[in-house]
Amino acid sequence: MRHIPHLGITRGLIGQIVATIGGIVFVSIIRMLFGYPSFSENIEPAVAFGAVAGVIGFLLAAGVLTDWIAWTRGEDPHIHHGARDGRPEWTRYFSVDVNHKIIGIQYGVTAILVFVIGGILALIFRFELVYPGMQFLTMEQYNTVFSAHGIIMIASILLGVGALINYLVPLQIGAADMAFPRLNAFSFWVAVPSALLIVAGIFVQGWDSGWTAYPPLSVKGPVGTQLFLLGFWINGFSSIAGAINMIVTVAIMRAPGMSLFRMPIFVWAALATAIIQFTATQTVGVALTMVTAERLFGMGFFNPLSGNPALGIPGGDPILFQHIFWFYSHPAVYVFVLPGLGIISELLPVFSRKPLFGYRWIALSSLAIAIVGYFVWAHHMFTALSPNVRLVFMYSTLFVAVPTGVKFFSWIGTLWQGKLEFPTPMLFVLGAISVFLIGGLSGPILGTIPTDLHLHDSYWVVGHFHATMFGGYVFPYFAAIYYWYPKITGRMYNEALGKLHFWLMVPGFWLMSLGQMRAGLVGMRRRIADYDPALGVTVTQTIVTVAALIIAWSMLIMFYNLIVSAWKGEVASTNPWRSRSPEWQTPTPIPEFNYDQPIQVVGNPYDYGLESDPGYIHVMPASGD
Amino acid sequence: MSAVTATDHHDHDHANHHELSPMQQLRANRLAIWLFCFSEIFLFGALLMARFYLWGNTRPELDQNLGLFTTVMLLVSSYFMVRAEVAVAKGDTKKFERSLIVTFVLGLLFLLGVVLFEWGLMANPFGHHEALKPTDGAYGAMFFAMTGMHAFHVLTGLFFISVVYRNGKMGWYDEKNHWGVEACAIYWHFVDVVWVFFYPALYLIGTVVH
Amino acid sequence: MHMSNRNHLIIVSALIVVFTFVVRYVFTLIYQLPPQYSAEAEQIDILFDAHFWVIAFLFALVMVFMLYAVVVFQRKDGDDSDGEHFHGNTTLEIVWTVFPLVAVVVFGVWAHQILNNISEAAPNELTLNVTGYQWYWEFQFGGDSYTTNEGMTVEFTPEMVSTNEVYVPVGHTLNLQLHSKGLSPDDSGVNHAFWVPEFRVKRDLIVGHTYDLKVTPTEIGHYRLRCAELCGAGHAIMLAEFHVVSEEDWEIWLAEVAEGGLPGEKLYTQYGCVGCHSLDGTPMVGPTWQGLYGSERVFADGSTVVADDEYLYTSIVNANSQIVEGYSPNIMPQNFAEQMSEEEIQQIIEFIASLSESE
Ligand code: HEA
Ligand code: HEA
Ligand code: CUA
Ligand SMILES: [Cu+2]
């Protein structure tokens, strides 16, 4: 208990609150002095400033910026490893720490907490949708809740992706840490106050523009919109900094002998992800900044009425936003899934006891998906674009199916003639394949314009993206948690409960997603607080809600399993899955700097069943004398 | 080997193999800053695209003299930045410091030219145009977005220069080790190059309609 | 279990064929399109059908292989050996790159073709202006007149504006002109989208743009136009009745519209009250006007008042002064006092009162 006041998270939260209030008061006073409308008449400028100040306050108080500030003062502080001031080891998880494994866990746990918030929001509006008519939410509240659900789930995915990449990549390439450990800590910690901003937006009048924030609606929306925009925007710093760090780490810090095509396949996925993140994220930043500026300063980027035809001044155009937004947000959907698909490729060989089929093709298909992904953005705008422009995007969109297909077929090749075993992680991997398949296959039908004219903004789209995100992220993420759990905690999770989780979640998910697609096809629009009983989707909607409850239950079982097993679970051996990957060759718990002796790569990562196998890595003999 | 020496060995090894060698660290730093610049291309690129989307083949009436003046300031500052970097690599501390100061002053002139006069915070000593306001439709919005985002980068660049200057005074840099200067220079040149694209997009391309 | 690879593949292929048909059949049970009531829908549904076949096949392909492997290639208890050692097969990789590539190109070209067909100009189009407001639809036929296929001329007058309801003649290609407007001159409005599921096609109403969309309704019937782009609190209830009728019925309706109703009723649509207040008790973003006049109003702060002329007047010119329980402030525009004349406000109040008298 006595350590709590010293924890980075405690100090950060206090810093955020103090700085937010300070910022609000400061702006209110300035505005009063200059004779602008008072706080109660227009709270937005003060709230916006307070929000940004709050994030900075959080970072300062938590100690994220300490070393950098010292640098500007002409000092050259050394990186601090280990718990500070002789505090116990657990405090590291709640404070600013530079070890990539700690940061990975911090990301991972935060991702789950944020996921639960997003899931509870989903349950709230799913209850509203059980019957036609408004039950217990107003229409404005409904809009706030589903918008928050969308963006919070996406924030959760970004955190989860950060968890996987941070924890695994340095271990898998045989490095001691990321290239820039302090920047790594920054990437995680900046995501915390930004997530809080989004959550705060729900309570500060809410917002009604969905996660896509299309103007003019997002320009007209209540103050919560501003907090959501800023939270989303600041989250971008996390992605950009994390991605640059990740690329540099892979480029510079691979173990000797680890050529690009001898990297564990997950590292390829992480690389492709990072390439998308550090480029496209900038553009969504521009889009969000523009909406913020239009709200705060009346700059007319998106408002056609802002111009002055008499003076020849052109007005804005709302379509511009959609272009810039989707230029990020389409590639972003591959950020969500590429690491997950990497997990699938990583685990399949281990549980099939066979080499990964077509390693190079899988590795390059990740890059291909990332690159083609840049040229398809306008498929979200088929109903808003001029007829000719959209044709180009129809073709490019359809091409994405090709590299994705390569992955599926290679996975089948990996399973074929294997010696398959089915512990919980493998089940989740197989579940992921089936779910991502239906998600992916519901994509090209959206990609051909004539069919999209019917499906656009219907529940079919909702079904499509839940299936892709569950298959490409949620299922693989759970697989990864179960799979690396013995390495992280040193104990085994409970296999029976793990299987129960799986067998509840799979049917729950299928009901949910197929139900959503079905409703969309017969004509149910998305983002509606109430639906027309005449459509005949009431039963379907009720089933989707029940499915959501099943998913929630299955996750409660997982939480129970993970928490209890950390204390009571069977002690796990160093390499319970008989994997060849480097992280399993190092002791549990993993040493502070991952490998006590440097490792050297001498073989291929997935050569299961190879006769006279040199192995994948060698631990180098102790150097020195 | 006794247990004691083994652990000793262990600790000793920890101390060096988990940290990057200075050479590796330098490579990592270089790569990172180039990646950062590449990332920023998307930021400025998006603004540039937005300008062409909204303004098309037209542009607002701006003060050409002022635009030319600020542009020249920034370009010349880049030259002095190169001089500073060369000087530090040769160990010429005096020249390094002087060049850095000149860079800073020119950058500051650019910033003041844009923020004070182009933005109409002060009456423009060069011309007699009425300054554009942020609320002037797509012209005002894009003009302020582009110059604002760029000015923000110039501001951080100036801050960076002053930190490097101070650290230089404290004797941090020598012929071999002057990563801070190099980083600052790369950043400054990048910001400069961005303006090379922004300047024509704002001041030269398209016809003035009103 | 020592079957040769060839035998495995033969079994799997057979299963895939069977499973493809099974999946396609299941799709007919769970995936239903709405009835097909436009010429465009007839073409688009062909593409839908093709897509569903491809989805069924590919789903069967991957799932049968996967499940077959799960069943047949299980590890025996106590067997710690590894599986067959093979790394890949370049021919196979090329095959499964090229085949999907061909498939998507075929689909692309085909979709392109259909898109061209459904956007082609028809010989005798009937222009209909559709304007989206927050949160209602307004319809007005374009031009001064229209000559039907039988050579009859229908004259349009400026009064022929209808809200949340429109009648169109069956079998005519409608050239929809889609606009989005705000409730007052300095309000840009927001984006909406035109969608009648039975017609399939959809197009956004984007602020500052006018888009067109061609629809040829082929069946007499009563459909519902549903706003398909998130447009704020009232998005869910931004609906309009879209009646497809015979030419005679269409003309009868036009004549009715031209006559109009009470002056207050016109203002009710003109100023957009219709977007938030229903006349028949339907719940919308604002309270219904049915039975409003003379009833006891309960406010968010718990106070009450009987709705008389004076109360209605304040509610209209200063909506935020008293917030009805269960509703939110800042939704109803605050500037009606500037937009409407005193006389118009009185006419609206009269109209609201008339709704209670008739009961
Ligand atoms: C995790 C994220 C994810 C992924 C991976 C995908 C993958 C794809 N998406 Fe999806 N999509 C979203 C998340 C995702 N999407 C989200 C969140 C939205 C909605 C955003 C919003 O509006 O809120 C959306 C919306 C969306 C739209 C816009 C719909 C609309 O609003 O009108 C379209 C249109 O083209 C589309 C297409 C595709 C395609 C073609 C793929 C392809 O990548 C799929 C490729 C995979 C396969 C095809 C399956 C396997 C392949 C084979 C077995 C090979 C053979 C296949 C063929 C020959 C077809 N998506
Ligand atoms: C990763 C992303 C992700 C995930 C996992 C989910 C998960 C779920 N989503 Fe999500 N959804 C989105 C991303 C995601 N969603 C996005 C981006 C949108 C678009 C928003 C927009 O239009 O702008 C959307 C929109 C969306 C809609 C459309 C809303 C509309 O258009 O009106 C619906 C409707 O059914 C829905 C349902 C669900 C359900 C039932 C789940 C369930 O699977 C959730 C299950 C999880 C839980 C229920 C939490 C589990 C844990 C617990 C419950 C523990 C309980 C703990 C305590 C009691 C302490 N979602
Ligand atoms: Cu109008 Cu939704
Ligand atoms: Cu997309």
Side-chain angles (χ1 to χ4, degrees):
Chain A
M1 281 316 263
R2 69 201 158 83
H3 296 294
I4 290 178
H6 301 287
L7 298 178
I9 181 77
T10 323
R11 304 168 70 117
L13 287 175
I14 294 171
Q16 185 168 16
I17 294 169
V18 171
T20 306
I21 296 172
I24 291 176
V25 171
F26 174 75
V27 170
S28 303
I29 292 174
I30 300 271
R31 286 175 66 86
M32 215 164 71
L33 293 179
F34 284 87
Y36 287 109
S38 72
F39 181 72
S40 51
E41 282 165 54
N42 183 1
I43 69 172
E44 182 140 343
V47 169
F49 186 83
V52 175
V55 172
I56 297 172
F58 182 101
L59 296 176
L60 283 173
V64 181
L65 308 176
T66 314
D67 281 3
W68 291 334
I69 293 174
W71 182 78
T72 67
R73 283 203 313 260
E75 295 159 26
D76 193 9
H78 276 284
I79 295 186
H80 181 92
H81 297 285
R84 293 200 185 239
D85 306 330
R87 298 203 187 94
E89 190 69 8
W90 65 264
T91 58
R92 296 178 72 185
Y93 291 90
F94 296 89
S95 302
V96 177
D97 195 284
V98 292
N99 188 298
H100 77 95
K101 294 184 292 300
I102 299 225
I103 295 176
I105 303 291
Q106 288 172 330
Y107 263 118
V109 172
T110 317
I112 291 183
L113 291 178
V114 173
F115 190 94
V116 170
I117 299 177
I120 289 173
L121 291 167
L123 291 181
I124 293 175
F125 73 71
R126 280 312 323 169
F127 276 114
E128 177 61 56
L129 291 174
V130 172
Y131 296 115
M134 296 308 288
Q135 268 65 248
F136 60 97
L137 292 175
T138 65
M139 291 190 173
E140 296 97 299
Q141 283 166 342
Y142 179 90
N143 285 355
T144 298
V145 175
F146 88 74
S147 302
H149 161 73
I151 191 68
I152 286 176
M153 281 301 195
I154 285 172
S156 157
I157 297 193
L158 291 174
L159 288 162
V161 165
L164 295 173
I165 291 182
N166 264 288
Y167 196 88
L168 295 176
V169 167
L171 276 169
Q172 293 199 323
I173 63 172
D177 205 323
M178 298 286 269
F180 305 104
R182 280 181 281 229
L183 187 65
N184 200 21
F186 170 82
S187 305
F188 165 70
W189 285 96
V190 76
V192 176
S194 75
L196 290 175
L197 285 191
I198 297 176
V199 175
I202 304 174
F203 301 100
V204 186
Q205 300 185 12
W207 75 94
D208 63 359
S209 45
W211 81 278
T212 50
Y214 278 15
L217 192 60
S218 57
V219 173
K220 298 165 70 143
V223 182
T225 321
Q226 186 65 263
L227 291 175
F228 147 68
L229 292 167
L230 289 171
F232 195 168
W233 181 67
I234 291 169
N235 203 285
F237 290 99
S238 168
S239 292
I240 296 170
I244 291 180
N245 206 343
M246 153 68 212
I247 298 176
V248 174
T249 307
V250 173
I252 309 273
M253 298 174 69
R254 275 169 307 164
M258 189 180 285
S259 61
L260 285 179
F261 286 109
R262 277 186 170 184
M263 299 192 301
I265 196 75
F266 177 76
V267 180
W268 273 101
L271 197 60
T273 309
I275 290 175
I276 300 174
Q277 275 186 306
F278 94 104
T279 51
T281 311
Q282 292 278 10
T283 65
V284 79
V286 171
L288 300 173
T289 317
M290 283 172 154
V291 178
T292 299
E294 182 153 346
R295 289 177 66 93
L296 287 175
F297 313 120
M299 291 160 81
F301 300 102
F302 308 123
N303 183 351
L305 299 184
S306 70
N308 188 337
L311 295 178
I313 299 179
D317 186 344
I319 305 250
L320 173 63
F321 176 90
Q322 303 186 11
H323 279 298
I324 312 181
F325 180 85
W326 289 115
F327 185 82
Y328 160 77
S329 291
H330 180 82
V333 306
Y334 296 118
V335 168
F336 305 161
V337 296
L338 285 176
L341 305 187
I343 296 286
I344 297 178
S345 308
E346 184 72 43
L347 268 53
L348 273 181
V350 178
F351 294 113
S352 310
R353 312 305 309 162
K354 264 188 72 222
L356 182 61
F357 192 93
Y359 171 98
R360 274 173 194 248
W361 290 80
I362 295 193
L364 294 177
S365 74
S366 291
L367 281 187
I369 293 174
I371 289 164
V372 181
Y374 280 102
F375 301 99
V376 307
W377 76 89
H379 65 211
H380 296 271
M381 304 157 61
F382 281 155
T383 60
L385 278 181
S386 77
N388 296 329
V389 180
R390 57 188 186 180
L391 282 171
V392 182
F393 291 96
M394 174 171 85
Y395 286 104
S396 58
T397 298
L398 291 172
F399 286 137
V400 187
V402 178
T404 318
V406 167
K407 283 193 192 295
F408 276 95
F409 300 133
S410 303
W411 292 333
I412 295 301
T414 308
L415 288 170
W416 198 248
Q417 302 276 18
K419 297 245 162 119
L420 312 188
E421 18 180 7
F422 305 101
T424 308
M426 179 63 160
L427 289 180
F428 272 95
V429 163
L430 297 176
I433 295 178
S434 77
V435 169
F436 188 65
L437 182 63
I438 195 69
L441 290 174
S442 59
I445 202 171
L446 293 166
T448 51
I449 300 172
T451 40
D452 184 60
L453 294 184
H454 180 62
L455 298 174
H456 175 70
D457 269 339
S458 75
Y459 257 66
W460 178 277
V461 179
V462 175
H464 158 70
F465 67 70
H466 281 90
T468 47
M469 295 204 268
F470 269 78
Y473 168 75
V474 179
F475 277 79
Y477 187 62
F478 291 165
I481 290 179
Y482 285 115
Y483 180 73
W484 277 285
Y485 187 83
K487 192 90 244 169
I488 296 169
T489 63
R491 288 174 188 273
M492 211 57 186
Y493 60 87
N494 180 313
E495 193 63 62
L497 287 178
K499 293 208 161 113
L500 182 61
H501 173 199
F502 176 78
W503 287 113
L504 280 175
M505 184 140 169
V506 165
F509 167 79
W510 278 95
L511 277 181
M512 172 175 123
S513 196
L514 292 182
Q516 287 166 336
M517 290 185 200
R518 171 187 163 84
L521 206 58
V522 296
M524 176 156 169
R525 301 164 288 157
R526 63 189 283 207
R527 298 172 162 177
I528 51 175
D530 191 12
Y531 51 93
D532 188 349
L535 275 179
V537 293
T538 311
V539 175
T540 314
Q541 287 295 329
T542 312
I543 291 176
V544 173
T545 304
V546 172
L549 284 173
I550 298 177
I551 297 174
W553 269 110
S554 74
M555 286 192 56
L556 286 177
I557 293 171
M558 175 182 78
F559 295 153
Y560 174 82
N561 190 353
L562 295 184
I563 293 169
V564 173
S565 302
W567 272 272
K568 304 238 172 87
E570 207 182 302
V571 174
S573 64
T574 315
N575 187 1
W577 312 118
R578 299 187 293 139
S579 163
R580 295 166 58 93
S581 200
E583 74 273 21
W584 293 103
Q585 319 309 325
T586 194
T588 312
I590 306 180
E592 177 79 17
F593 299 110
N594 296 345
Y595 299 96
D596 286 335
Q597 300 302 331
I599 61 170
Q600 184 165 26
V601 173
V602 294
N604 288 314
Y606 303 105
D607 265 339
Y608 295 98
L610 180 65
E611 278 165 44
S612 67
D613 171 22
Y616 179 33
I617 58 162
H618 267 189
V619 177
M620 287 193 205
S623 60
D625 25 21
Chain B
M1 227 195 263
S2 77
V4 180
T5 47
T7 22
D8 267 348
H9 197 94
H10 227 84
D11 284 342
H12 167 75
D13 239 333
H14 264 169
N16 48 40
H17 102 249
H18 74 81
E19 270 177 16
L20 292 176
S21 70
M23 229 9 249
Q24 272 184 320
Q25 189 68 54
L26 191 63
R27 271 171 58 214
N29 289 350
R30 284 214 177 106
L31 181 58
I33 196 124
W34 283 110
L35 288 174
F36 176 73
C37 291
F38 190 74
S39 163
E40 295 258 296
I41 289 177
F42 281 76
L43 167 74
F44 291 111
L47 286 169
L48 210 57
M49 288 302 136
R51 176 255 176 252
F52 284 102
Y53 190 92
L54 289 179
W55 294 6
N57 222 352
T58 71
R59 64 180 162 86
E61 182 148 26
L62 295 168
D63 190 328
Q64 291 295 339
N65 296 334
L66 186 55
L68 197 61
F69 170 76
T70 53
T71 306
V72 170
M73 290 303 109
L74 199 60
L75 291 182
V76 175
S77 81
S78 244
Y79 166 72
F80 281 95
M81 188 48 118
V82 175
R83 251 174 59 128
E85 211 189 333
V86 172
V88 81
K90 286 195 185 133
D92 186 344
T93 321
K94 270 266 125 34
K95 191 170 167 195
F96 162 66
E97 284 169 6
R98 261 186 282 125
S99 307
L100 217 50
I101 292 180
V102 177
T103 313
F104 185 90
V105 170
L106 292 173
L108 193 65
L109 281 177
F110 170 87
L111 194 65
L112 295 180
V114 170
V115 172
L116 286 188
F117 303 122
E118 280 290 33
W119 288 13
L121 296 185
M122 269 170 75
N124 182 349
F126 291 92
H128 32 263
H129 292 295
E130 215 177 301
L132 210 55
K133 292 189 297 302
T135 47
D136 284 342
Y139 282 161
M142 272 328 294
F143 180 76
F144 277 82
M146 289 169 76
T147 53
M149 190 61 87
H150 186 259
F152 175 73
H153 281 76
V154 173
L155 189 67
T156 48
L158 289 178
F159 177 69
F160 203 171
I161 292 178
S162 47
V163 171
V164 166
Y165 178 78
R166 219 257 304 274
N167 288 350
K169 275 258 181 235
M170 291 173 43
W172 275 32
Y173 309 120
D174 55 36
E175 290 93 327
K176 286 249 158 57
N177 296 314
H178 49 266
W179 161 246
V181 184
E182 187 184 335
C184 180
I186 294 174
Y187 183 71
W188 190 255
H189 294 319
F190 173 74
V191 173
D192 202 7
V193 169
V194 169
W195 188 253
V196 171
F197 285 90
F198 273 23
Y199 172 67
L202 292 170
Y203 288 84
L204 304 179
I205 298 173
T207 48
V208 177
V209 279
H210 65 286
Chain C
M1 278 318 264
H2 278 285
M3 237 196 291
S4 74
N5 208 23
R6 208 176 113 235
N7 288 353
H8 283 308
L9 290 176
I10 291 172
I11 299 175
V12 166
S13 309
L15 285 173
I16 289 172
V17 174
V18 176
F19 204 54
T20 301
F21 283 92
V22 172
V23 174
R24 185 67 189 86
Y25 174 69
V26 172
F27 282 178
T28 61
L29 301 180
I30 59 171
Y31 287 166
Q32 286 129 0
L33 282 160
Q36 198 184 68
Y37 288 151
S38 76
E40 292 73 21
E42 285 160 20
Q43 303 219 19
I44 293 175
D45 288 2
I46 300 173
L47 192 59
F48 264 112
D49 192 49
H51 267 295
F52 285 136
W53 274 108
V54 174
I55 296 177
F57 168 67
L58 288 170
F59 187 72
L61 177 74
V62 177
M63 280 300 102
V64 167
F65 262 109
M66 184 178 109
L67 294 176
Y68 187 84
V70 165
V71 173
V72 175
F73 300 123
Q74 279 189 26
R75 187 178 70 115
K76 309 278 162 332
D77 267 346
D79 174 7
D80 269 356
S81 63
D82 288 334
E84 294 279 313
H85 186 84
F86 52 89
H87 274 277
N89 180 325
T90 310
T91 323
L92 265 184
E93 297 279 1
I94 291 175
V95 167
W96 64 48
T97 307
V98 170
F99 269 97
L101 198 63
V102 172
V104 297
V105 170
V106 168
F107 264 79
V109 173
W110 189 9
H112 192 155
Q113 204 72 48
I114 292 179
L115 195 64
N116 284 348
N117 294 347
I118 62 178
S119 25
E120 232 167 61
N124 187 18
E125 290 177 356
L126 172 58
T127 305
L128 175 60
N129 285 299
V130 179
T131 311
Y133 295 86
Q134 267 175 319
W135 295 281
Y136 65 100
W137 299 92
E138 193 180 86
F139 303 94
Q140 184 168 29
F141 288 97
D144 300 332
S145 64
Y146 177 71
T147 312
T148 65
N149 296 345
E150 279 93 61
M152 295 233 299
T153 302
V154 183
E155 306 276 344
F156 300 132
T157 61
E159 290 84 60
M160 290 182 183
V161 181
S162 62
T163 325
N164 281 351
E165 183 178 54
V166 71
Y167 283 65
V168 298
V170 68
H172 290 259
T173 299
L174 299 172
N175 176 3
L176 303 173
Q177 297 289 316
L178 306 170
H179 323 263
S180 168
K181 291 216 183 110
L183 292 173
S184 63
D186 57 354
D187 171 12
S188 67
V190 302
N191 301 342
H192 309 273
F194 179 100
W195 187 31
V196 178
E198 288 83 353
F199 300 163
R200 303 293 184 274
V201 287
K202 183 181 290 123
R203 194 83 167 118
D204 288 3
L205 286 66
I206 303 274
V207 169
H209 294 260
T210 297
Y211 283 148
D212 52 4
L213 176 68
K214 296 210 185 344
V215 186
T216 317
T218 50
E219 287 277 335
I220 290 182
H222 304 289
Y223 310 116
R224 200 160 264 172
L225 164 56
R226 303 165 193 276
C227 174
E229 179 67 48
L230 180 59
C231 53
H235 168 56
I237 47 164
M238 186 163 165
L239 307 166
E241 304 304 325
F242 206 96
H243 306 275
V244 177
V245 293
S246 65
E247 273 176 24
E248 300 82 68
D249 289 348
W250 178 52
E251 280 166 41
I252 295 172
W253 177 76
L254 280 175
E256 266 174 34
V257 172
E259 264 171 35
L262 279 177
E265 189 168 3
K266 289 226 124 147
L267 296 171
Y268 166 69
T269 53
Q270 184 184 332
Y271 285 109
C273 321
V274 57
C276 304
H277 299 282
S278 73
L279 304 181
D280 57 359
T282 316
M284 288 178 82
V285 176
T288 180
W289 286 355
Q290 184 190 43
L292 164 61
Y293 193 83
S295 70
E296 192 185 57
R297 313 307 297 160
V298 184
F299 299 116
D301 59 10
S303 60
T304 58
V305 77
V306 171
D308 52 9
D309 289 13
E310 196 191 322
Y311 164 73
L312 291 182
Y313 187 86
T314 5
S315 299
I316 295 169
V317 300
N318 186 1
N320 272 358
S321 63
Q322 287 155 318
I323 300 302
V324 183
E325 191 178 24
Y327 295 89
S328 312
N330 300 322
I331 299 274
M332 174 156 158
Q334 304 288 305
N335 57 355
F336 283 132
E338 298 141 40
Q339 290 191 46
M340 292 193 265
S341 67
E342 276 306 305
E343 194 193 342
E344 287 175 326
I345 297 181
Q346 291 310 329
Q347 285 172 341
I348 288 209
I349 294 178
E350 241 167 74
F351 172 62
I352 297 179
S354 76
L355 294 169
S356 291
E357 281 153 24
S358 57
E359 263 156 51

